[in-house]
Amino acid sequence: MDFQQAPPRLGNTFRHDATLRAWLAAALPQAMLAEIRGDLDALGEYAAQAWHEARLQSPCTPQLVQWDAWGGRVDRIQTTPTWQRGAALTARYGFVAAGHEPQHGALARVDQFARVYLYHVASQFHSCPLAMSDGAATALKAAGNAALCARALPHLLARDPAQLWLSGQWMTELAGGSDVGGSDTEARRDGDGRWRLYGRKWFVSAVVGDMALTLARPQGAGAGGDALAMFYLETRDAHGAWNGIRIDRLKDKLGTRELPTAEIHLDGTLAEPVGELAHGVRQITPVLNISRTWNAVGALATMRHCLALATDYAQRRHAFGRSLLDQPLHRLTLGGLAAEFEAAFHLGFEVVALLGRAECGAAGEGEALLLRVLTPLAKLWTGKLAVRIASETCEAFGGAGYIEDTGIPQLLRDAQVFPIWEGTTNVLALDVLRALGSDGLDVFAAWVLDGSGDAAPRAAVQQALTDAQRWFRAHAGDRDGLQAGARGFALTLARCAAAGLLARRSGHARDGSAARLDAALAVFIAHGLSRLDAAPMDALVRLTDNAAS
């Protein structure tokens, strides 16, 4: 009874991530990569140490203190030690600022998201309000409100932790979901002509932030989403008291428990309209697009983290006379997951690169359309894949993967947020249809097939795209049929795009990454590209009717 299983160990997550290092080497000028390598290496070391330290500590979650000792309402949220270190790390490594600073031009977003990718797994989802802060900075720039830009941007993009602000994006009310047209929060002018907000926000992820962008209906405006306006607010007044905000409670969530998520009431919250007093949903869209990119990169980071742990453990765990990694079925299982991750990584970081080019005006013809299509595709696919890989990771650890203090179950609980935040899989699939519009897949298909390498992979991608185009055209006049099959259609496009990118990278690889890319492409294509739903719609309707009864 003296056997003791060795736990998994993580090394520096930058040095040991061949996928990230090869992608950056191909995407960045050598001088730029040399300039940022020190920061990436330090973040990789921080991420590895944070994982090991977390296993030695008792679980820690934020606490809401609503009253002081004398009965005064204070609504103070005590965050975890990791969160308390967040401002210093964010300022030092520029998790938000790096994406907006001019020195790297169109490659600024690549620099930024490489940092975010390494930090996310050690951040206890401090990356969530950073995503919304990035989105808020982008939305304020897009709105062109010079006064608010001058007020907020120096804080959102600060390199000094004492000056750094976090921003929220407060949209969700009791009705919940992506249809915000029924929002009840009302904006009224007070006696001094200032705007004040009144209403309840049911799900607020960055209530510990310094500011927020939120939707409200100006008093007297009509019903529906078009009548909503986007408002800017600061959470505290000049004396540090809450700005007409009451914290009702913190949410008890499946995962991301270190992230304080609250229900709040706005009762006379002083705010300013960012733009016109209408079309607020359109004005806040940049926040959603940016946070969807953060979501995809966070999902990729989670996948990589899971695979690193599962692979290291497979080397340390012996059963039936050899290590798990030497067991053919186990090795093939992990290899199949690694191929899916490799493909997803290339799609996610292609979105990052496209975003940087678009923001700098360097995007080529058709790339704006590609960005509109690829952003929801990357988010929806990586979100689903992160849950699958996290679940397989729990299974790869056997019984230890079901024991909380190993840290493995948390990977699955936290991963489940990726397909939910900033649009569920179905919502994003419908967004893909809207992005394509009536133009169809011609631009998308031409981009996917451009430089897609050897005949066999190209033929597989071409066939899946042809099937998707045929399905899209067949349902062009059938709105319900188009929407019913949107999920399978979107997943097919995501997999085709990823396969095309893998083939392109493999064909241009000039180092040892070519063999890995070729292997990943072969396995990924063997898994199949098409996910078009062939099930008859009427049968599915009958099944859901039966379940409802």
Side-chain angles (χ1 to χ4, degrees), residues 12 26 46 82 112 189 271 371 524:
N12 183 302
Y46 174 78
T82 297
Q112 175 196 23
R189 286 192 183 274
L371 183 60
F524 184 67

Side-chain angles (χ1 to χ4, degrees), residues 454-471:
D454 294 342
R458 183 182 178 87
V461 175
Q462 176 73 72
Q463 183 60 58
L465 286 171
T466 299
D467 292 344
Q469 183 75 283
R470 185 182 299 116
W471 178 90

Side-chain angles (χ1 to χ4, degrees), residues 6 12 44 48 110 126 174 184 202 226 231 348 353 462 483 496 516 523:
N12 183 302
V110 174
H126 189 261
L174 277 173
D184 289 330
W202 186 76
D226 285 344
F231 285 85
Q462 176 73 72
Q483 291 191 2
C496 286
R516 189 190 72 254
V523 173

Side-chain angles (χ1 to χ4, degrees), residues 147-515:
L148 289 181
C149 285
R151 169 69 177 160
L153 290 182
H155 292 290
L156 293 172
L157 307 179
R159 289 283 191 161
D160 176 358
Q163 296 297 317
L164 185 70
W165 281 5
L166 292 178
S167 177
Q169 170 260 106
W170 299 353
M171 293 176 64
T172 307
E173 300 189 0
L174 277 173
S178 299
D179 181 4
V180 298
S183 294
D184 289 330
T185 298
E186 187 176 51
R188 309 173 199 161
R189 286 192 183 274
D190 64 15
D192 297 324
R194 299 176 300 179
W195 288 97
R196 294 187 178 273
L197 307 184
Y198 299 84
R200 183 179 183 185
K201 296 296 183 180
W202 186 76
F203 199 96
V204 174
S205 287
V207 71
V208 295
D210 305 274
M211 59 162 282
L213 298 180
T214 188
L215 297 179
R217 195 178 307 279
Q219 190 173 27
D226 285 344
L228 295 171
M230 181 170 73
F231 285 85
Y232 163 96
L233 64 88
E234 294 176 14
T235 57
R236 303 275 183 169
D237 64 19
H239 305 289
W242 285 108
N243 173 21
I245 297 169
R246 185 174 75 244
I247 313 296
D248 295 331
R249 64 171 175 168
L250 296 184
K251 296 288 194 181
D252 185 11
K253 297 169 293 179
L254 169 69
T256 67
R257 292 175 180 171
E258 299 89 350
L259 165 61
T261 305
E263 291 182 28
I264 68 173
H265 268 88
L266 306 178
D267 188 13
T269 303
L270 189 65
E272 295 181 49
V274 176
E276 63 173 319
L277 291 174
H279 304 296
V281 176
R282 185 172 63 206
Q283 294 176 52
I284 211 167
T285 296
V287 182
L288 300 179
N289 288 334
I290 293 296
S291 57
R292 285 173 176 178
T293 305
W294 278 73
N295 192 292
V297 171
L300 292 171
T302 295
M303 292 181 226
R304 168 61 192 161
H305 188 57
C306 287
L307 289 170
L309 289 169
T311 303
D312 183 83
Y313 183 72
Q315 294 172 316
R316 299 173 187 277
R317 173 69 175 167
H318 284 71
F320 305 108
R322 50 182 170 173
S323 72
L324 290 182
L325 200 59
D326 289 330
Q327 303 283 355
L329 182 55
H330 195 80
R331 191 179 188 93
L332 286 174
T333 299
L334 294 181
L337 297 176
E340 294 284 322
F341 161 73
E342 185 86 31
F345 179 94
H346 282 77
L347 178 56
F349 270 81
E350 181 68 18
V351 170
V352 168
L354 269 175
L355 174 63
R357 292 201 294 273
E359 289 181 332
C360 289
E365 185 177 354
E367 287 188 316
L369 169 63
L370 286 172
L371 183 60
R372 290 197 300 273
V373 174
L374 290 177
T375 300
L377 284 180
K379 193 276 183 186
L380 73 86
W381 181 40
T382 57
K384 298 297 284 186
L385 186 57
V387 175
R388 176 187 163 198
I389 289 180
S391 178
E392 289 279 6
T393 299
C394 291
E395 190 173 343
F397 278 83
Y402 207 67
I403 305 301
E404 281 288 352
D405 58 5
T406 65
I408 305 304
Q410 183 178 347
L411 300 174
L412 178 57
R413 288 190 286 102
D414 285 350
Q416 187 60 62
V417 79
F418 293 121
I420 297 175
W421 273 356
E422 309 304 352
T424 61
T425 308
N426 286 356
V427 166
L428 290 160
L430 297 177
D431 280 354
V432 171
L433 294 181
R434 282 189 287 272
L436 289 171
S438 59
D439 296 330
L441 293 177
D442 291 342
V443 172
F444 177 84
W447 170 80
V448 170
L449 292 169
D450 181 30
S452 58
D454 294 342
R458 183 182 178 87
V461 175
Q462 176 73 72
Q463 183 60 58
L465 286 171
T466 299
D467 292 344
Q469 183 75 283
R470 185 182 299 116
W471 178 90
F472 186 75
R473 289 171 177 165
H475 291 85
D478 177 12
R479 182 173 179 272
D480 287 349
L482 198 63
Q483 291 191 2
R487 178 189 284 226
F489 176 69
L491 289 170
T492 300
L493 298 189
R495 296 183 69 82
C496 286
L501 288 166
L502 270 182
R504 196 177 307 167
R505 288 283 180 179
S506 176
H508 291 88
R510 294 291 181 267
D511 54 22
S513 66

